[in-house]
Amino acid sequence: MSPREPDPLRSALYLKRNFRQLLPVLLILALATSLLVLVLTPTNTFRRTHQANLHSLGYFTIVSPLLEKDFSPALLQILDSNPDMERRIPVKVFWVRYPMLVGEAFCPLILFEEKELPAMMDRLGVELEDGRMPRKNSPEVIMHRNVAAARGLAMGDWFGAAVDPDDATPGKYQVVGLFGGEARLTLGDYEHSSSPTYITSRSGDFQMVFARPGRKAECDYYLNFVKRDGDLILQVINADYVQNRIDKALRNLPLMKRFIAAAAASIVALVIALLNVIVFRSRICEFGILVAIGRKRGRLLRKLATETTLLGLLGWVLGLVLGYAGLALYNHLAFVPRGIIVDVWDPTAVWITAVLPVVSVAASILALDRQLRKVDPIAILQGRWE
Amino acid sequence: MKAVLEAKGVFLEYVSGRGVVEVLKGIDFTLERGEKACVVGPSGSGKSSLLMVLAGLLQPTGGQVHHRGRPWPANLDRAAGLRRSNIGLILQEPILIPYLTLRENVMTAALADDVAEGMMAKAERLGIADLLDERPMRLSLGERQRGSILRALINDPEVVLADEPTANLDFRNGLEVVELLKENLGVASLVLVTHDTRIIDQSFRTYNLENGILGGG
């Protein structure tokens, strides 16, 4: 039996031997994809930053009175009646503002009794990386490394409204230690902030509630629905509450992403379809002779569609690689030093940019089908094709 | 003998800026199995158009073309399938796909993928066996024309239609191409369209096409 000859109309052969000619199509798709990755992925900084700021709420719940100025003994008794609570500690909670990619983020400044700090850090899984722990009855704080970087604060620096009136954090604090990890917090001493001579003493107390192991949902349920005289009595700040707030705040963000993706896909599809038509017209003799020797137009359209699809996928994958690599580099050079959290490997852009090859391939196939239908083999064979 | 290709009262006209142009005016033509026919005539007489009508690439505006007693299908894809199986087409300009080797160009027409041995034998007879893995740009015009003959013969067609295959070659090369074509036809019938009567011999039944009217035969 005679050896088998491979199909000369296979798309891979065409792509391999005409790679340079197809480079513009490939590059436009790759660059458009990478541009979308570079523009869209950093928008996850808004959600990621808020999540990092509020990560600690997965370990405890903060409550404050909803109807009273401070926790009365009766209210504390209601708290203590929660069968799923392990313990509670009084805290003061403020916010440390720091610049985000756009606008500002707020990281909790939680002030405890100094003796609670090591246990608290242990629960949150954070370790002091630089400096030392705050001293009792002092305005010293330890701060998440990225928050300090975002604020431009170094060890020994002071911050707060008393240092800079534009700073929204009441009082003044000195950074004496830095820590890393998931939870973005600033931790300091409760005793000093409660001193009547200090401005922060004016702010009401919060209670930090720790649930029994594995009972956080039940514990929070109690806090959310406990009532006195038919009224809810506690403002409960937990992960669900905050997530809900974040979702509401960011609910319009996908609109922008979808609009950018749709606009980019439309423009890129048009450009790619035009380029594919130009490439097709440069191959008109090829299709003229193939039609003349009896190749069916359906087979030729399948060849063109496969070539376009392979090229589209190749351009898209190349764009993803370029986009994510570029973003990783930019993250390393620009975002990380500024304490800006960007989830570089967020796969959302993969799905959003997938619209580029899909739309551009579909537009190209429609355009090429139209071109193929117009092929007049006689005109081509007789050199009359224009 | 049964006709493999038959034109019955074929008319072909098109509308141009000069009004309706009649290219073919009631052509009757029959090609028997194994027969060699030659259509001669001056430029613009409609020779190539006749060949394209016979190949099913052009629909006549009047009359019919029959292949083995059945009209060419009006459906383009069905006509293409029939053409690929039964007709070998050789053109004035040996159009080969530039990014494919000669072997791959030939394979674009092949009906099966196990034709390597047959292709090699034919290529040897055409004197291009050692050029099969070359791309067209490395071949001379004569070599490319032999390549297009190989492509036309790869499926052992019933009919070979050759449109001025020697027009771009010098006389010696042209004569050689026609000889090679005749030698490699096997049992196929041949319709050769040319304006150069020097390349045809007694083995051809000769027709004269002038002003769209076919004479002789």
Side-chain angles (χ1 to χ4, degrees):
Chain A
M1 196 174 160
S2 192
R4 291 183 181 281
E5 294 282 347
D7 179 10
L9 298 189
R10 63 191 188 279
S11 301
L13 182 69
Y14 168 74
L15 295 180
K16 190 176 150 195
R17 295 202 184 152
N18 296 279
F19 195 70
R20 284 176 62 184
Q21 189 186 3
L22 299 169
L23 218 48
V25 177
L26 191 77
L27 285 181
I28 284 176
L29 199 54
L31 291 176
T33 303
S34 63
L35 191 64
L36 275 187
V37 170
L38 288 168
V39 168
L40 296 181
T41 304
T43 61
N44 69 31
T45 189
F46 301 111
R47 187 171 292 278
R48 294 289 187 270
T49 304
H50 287 308
Q51 282 171 345
N53 288 336
L54 302 157
H55 179 83
S56 51
L57 290 170
Y59 300 95
F60 53 74
T61 301
I62 301 277
V63 292
S64 66
L66 201 57
L67 303 172
E68 301 168 14
K69 182 178 176 293
D70 289 310
F71 280 99
S72 63
L75 197 52
L76 289 175
Q77 199 174 5
I78 291 173
L79 273 186
D80 292 339
S81 304
N82 183 347
D84 295 301
M85 184 180 80
E86 184 183 285
R87 62 190 293 250
R88 61 175 172 80
I89 51 174
V91 293
K92 284 193 182 293
V93 180
F94 301 106
W95 299 95
V96 176
R97 287 199 305 193
Y98 64 95
M100 229 183 346
L101 192 61
V102 176
E104 286 180 320
F106 300 85
C107 139
L109 163 61
I110 304 178
L111 305 169
F112 307 82
E113 284 183 42
E114 179 261 355
K115 66 178 187 210
E116 297 280 357
L117 263 172
M120 183 66 195
M121 291 174 71
D122 195 40
R123 272 180 191 265
L124 294 173
V126 298
E127 263 183 53
L128 196 63
E129 293 175 354
D130 281 316
R132 58 174 174 78
M133 296 294 277
R135 280 188 298 240
K136 190 177 167 79
N137 203 10
S138 79
E140 294 171 350
V141 295
I142 55 173
M143 185 177 262
H144 192 281
R145 181 178 292 284
N146 288 347
V147 176
R151 279 291 299 260
L153 293 171
M155 208 90 80
D157 286 352
W158 290 83
F159 70 96
V163 178
D164 173 6
D166 284 343
D167 193 331
T169 314
K172 68 175 201 176
Y173 306 89
Q174 186 182 28
V175 181
V176 295
L178 298 173
F179 59 88
E182 288 286 310
R184 285 191 164 194
L185 290 168
T186 301
L187 305 172
D189 178 51
Y190 173 81
E191 203 170 332
H192 177 264
S193 64
S194 301
S195 158
T197 59
Y198 205 56
I199 190 166
T200 47
S201 65
R202 285 193 221 156
S203 130
D205 275 0
F206 290 77
Q207 291 287 326
M208 180 180 279
V209 176
F210 292 98
R212 292 183 195 283
R215 306 292 295 170
K216 187 157 191 313
E218 291 80 359
C219 179
D220 283 357
Y221 184 84
Y222 176 91
L223 297 171
N224 269 311
F225 294 103
V226 65
K227 289 180 180 174
R228 192 170 57 193
D229 303 330
D231 292 324
L232 293 172
I233 51 173
L234 294 171
Q235 165 91 56
V236 179
I237 302 170
N238 61 7
D240 289 344
Y241 168 82
V242 170
Q243 189 60 51
N244 194 27
R245 293 283 297 269
I246 295 172
D247 289 345
K248 277 184 184 165
L250 300 179
R251 72 179 166 197
N252 291 331
L253 194 58
L255 287 179
M256 186 200 73
K257 289 186 181 184
R258 282 197 288 265
F259 177 73
I260 292 175
S266 308
I267 295 165
V268 169
L270 194 66
V271 173
I272 297 283
L274 281 173
L275 281 175
N276 274 324
V277 167
I278 291 169
V279 172
F280 174 84
R281 290 178 84 86
S282 74
R283 299 168 69 189
I284 201 72
C285 282
E286 173 184 344
F287 290 97
I289 192 67
L290 287 172
V291 170
I293 63 176
R295 298 309 298 237
K296 295 181 178 175
R297 284 177 204 248
R299 171 68 184 92
L300 300 181
L301 181 63
R302 207 167 74 233
K303 171 181 165 62
L304 284 167
T306 313
E307 287 166 7
T308 309
T309 306
L310 283 175
L311 199 62
L313 286 175
L314 203 61
W316 178 58
V317 171
L318 181 66
L320 289 178
V321 171
L322 286 176
Y324 279 109
L327 188 59
L329 183 67
Y330 197 65
N331 184 50
H332 178 71
L333 294 176
F335 293 152
V336 171
R338 288 167 177 79
I340 295 169
I341 305 181
V342 171
D343 180 3
V344 171
W345 306 112
D346 179 1
T348 310
V350 174
W351 310 122
I352 293 178
T353 57
V355 75
L356 288 187
V358 170
V359 175
S360 60
V361 164
S364 295
I365 290 173
L366 283 175
L368 292 173
D369 180 40
R370 203 173 132 79
Q371 290 291 317
L372 199 57
R373 284 174 197 279
K374 289 199 298 192
V375 164
D376 175 2
I378 311 290
I380 294 165
L381 303 181
Q382 294 180 351
R384 291 186 283 108
W385 180 266
E386 288 175 7
Chain B
M1 283 172 87
K2 191 174 179 183
V4 284
L5 215 51
E6 192 173 14
K8 291 179 176 173
V10 166
F11 283 84
L12 182 68
E13 54 190 36
Y14 63 89
V15 181
S16 79
R18 292 171 292 164
V20 176
V21 178
E22 290 184 308
V23 184
L24 301 175
K25 301 169 185 171
I27 302 284
D28 290 310
F29 172 81
T30 304
L31 184 70
E32 308 286 353
R33 187 172 166 79
E35 184 185 1
K36 295 182 197 63
C38 179
V39 180
V40 295
S43 291
S45 59
K47 303 188 298 294
S48 294
S49 298
L50 173 61
L51 208 72
M52 296 303 156
V53 168
L54 291 175
L57 278 164
L58 262 183
Q59 287 286 321
T61 44
Q64 279 191 326
V65 175
H66 287 210
H67 168 254
R68 277 201 266 171
R70 302 179 73 171
W72 270 109
N75 178 288
L76 286 174
D77 266 1
R78 283 189 58 206
L82 208 60
R83 189 162 57 247
R84 190 169 164 212
S85 309
N86 300 291
I87 307 281
L89 201 61
I90 302 165
L91 304 160
Q92 177 177 333
E93 184 69 37
I95 299 174
L96 297 172
I97 299 171
Y99 63 87
L100 297 180
T101 62
L102 192 51
R103 180 192 305 277
E104 290 161 344
N105 266 286
V106 173
M107 285 306 296
T108 59
L111 287 167
D113 57 6
D114 56 352
V115 294
E117 284 174 10
M119 188 198 314
M120 185 52 80
K122 288 182 178 109
E124 275 171 7
R125 288 201 297 273
L126 287 165
I128 52 172
D130 54 346
L131 301 176
L132 284 178
D133 293 318
E134 296 290 351
R135 302 235 193 132
M137 65 181 167
R138 296 179 65 99
L139 304 176
S140 69
L141 201 57
E143 288 165 341
R144 275 188 274 157
Q145 193 57 289
R146 290 177 209 204
S148 72
I149 292 172
L150 180 56
R151 181 175 61 195
L153 298 176
I154 192 65
N155 295 322
D156 297 319
E158 283 185 319
V159 181
V160 174
L161 302 175
D163 183 13
E164 302 265 20
T166 64
N168 292 325
L169 305 175
D170 59 45
F171 175 69
R172 194 180 61 81
N173 262 314
L175 202 58
E176 197 175 298
V177 161
V178 172
E179 285 307 315
L180 282 170
L181 180 56
K182 279 163 56 185
E183 284 165 20
N184 288 281
L185 272 180
V187 293
S189 311
L190 171 68
V191 180
L192 174 69
V193 160
T194 183
H195 65 276
D196 187 356
T197 51
R198 295 175 301 166
I199 59 166
I200 53 174
D201 59 22
Q202 299 293 327
S203 63
F204 285 93
R205 195 159 123 199
T206 305
Y207 295 84
N208 190 34
L209 185 65
E210 203 156 348
N211 294 324
I213 296 167
L214 192 67

